[in-house]
Amino acid sequence: HRGALVGTAVEGINSLAAIRKVVFDDKRCTLEEVVQACREDYRGEGQEVLRSLLRNAPKWGNDDPYVDAIAKDIVEYCLRDFRTYTSCTGGPLLSGVHQPHPVSTGWGLMATPDGRHKGTPVAVTMTPASGTMKQGATAALKSASVFDPMLLQWNYCVMVNYYASIFAGEKGRDLFKNLLRSYFRRGGVQHQPNVLDA
């Protein structure tokens, strides 16, 4: 299974972006050193520095063309490829992205080249990985809308947590309504907002 090589779509995208930046663009290490660090869960000598470089490389969900182009290439390739297969009865298969189990999936996954430690949770479907969404909800939804929506025929969840205070008053509701409308106008297909209030 193609996705099993890096775990999930978001970890795959973040890993490819980190490798491109740290190994090929900045030439801070070799690909072999990244592979070895993943095998050793970043516990070997000097690997914590390497992990920091990889963790600080550009990440998915920040409206960054550097990462979004990688995401579009790999995800759309997989979605198109999936549509070439048929079910056991000969019917077409629907293409989509689905990863609803961040803890159990992460538990069984080795360390990844995006700087993620072995056994730690992964992202839910196309939600930015924990701690990597640096530019806010608007940027996350802009990244999430880079794909051809006609290729996303079923699940494609993008979860974003919002503080309840943004909904305060008429202005807050209008702001959120405009954010959602903009996302769907850009081709976004699914969004799960979680509203948090202490």
Side-chain angles (χ1 to χ4, degrees), residues 88-150:
C88 61
T89 60
L93 296 178
L94 299 178
S95 57
V97 183
H98 187 60
Q99 170 35 264
H101 308 291
V103 175
S104 58
T105 300
W107 181 80
L109 187 62
M110 68 181 282
T112 47
D114 57 349
R116 189 192 132 275
H117 273 300
K118 173 185 175 179
T120 57
V122 296
V124 174
T125 308
M126 294 306 296
T127 301
S130 180
T132 64
M133 190 176 85
K134 305 292 187 187
Q135 302 301 319
T138 301
L141 293 179
K142 283 179 78 177
S143 287
S145 63
V146 299
F147 306 112
D148 178 352
M150 297 308 291

Side-chain angles (χ1 to χ4, degrees), residues 55-190:
R55 285 287 296 165
N56 289 307
K59 295 289 185 280
W60 164 255
N62 290 293
D63 188 27
D64 183 343
Y66 187 92
V67 182
D68 291 353
I70 292 170
K72 186 170 176 63
D73 282 349
I74 192 169
V75 171
E76 287 190 357
Y77 171 81
C78 291
L79 293 170
R80 284 189 177 95
D81 184 63
F82 194 77
R83 288 167 50 146
T84 65
Y85 298 93
T86 58
S87 70
C88 61
T89 60
L93 296 178
L94 299 178
S95 57
V97 183
H98 187 60
Q99 170 35 264
H101 308 291
V103 175
S104 58
T105 300
W107 181 80
L109 187 62
M110 68 181 282
T112 47
D114 57 349
R116 189 192 132 275
H117 273 300
K118 173 185 175 179
T120 57
V122 296
V124 174
T125 308
M126 294 306 296
T127 301
S130 180
T132 64
M133 190 176 85
K134 305 292 187 187
Q135 302 301 319
T138 301
L141 293 179
K142 283 179 78 177
S143 287
S145 63
V146 299
F147 306 112
D148 178 352
M150 297 308 291
L151 295 175
L152 295 163
Q153 300 170 322
W154 72 289
N155 194 358
Y156 175 79
C157 179
V158 178
M159 270 198 283
V160 176
N161 296 330
Y162 299 92
Y163 293 110
S165 58
I166 71 157
F167 296 98
E170 197 63 36
K171 186 176 178 182
R173 286 190 295 273
D174 288 343
L175 180 69
F176 188 63
K177 185 168 41 175
N178 290 336
L179 175 69
L180 292 180
R181 284 184 174 160
S182 173
Y183 171 62
F184 291 116
R185 269 197 302 268
R186 291 177 57 85
V189 295
Q190 184 179 353

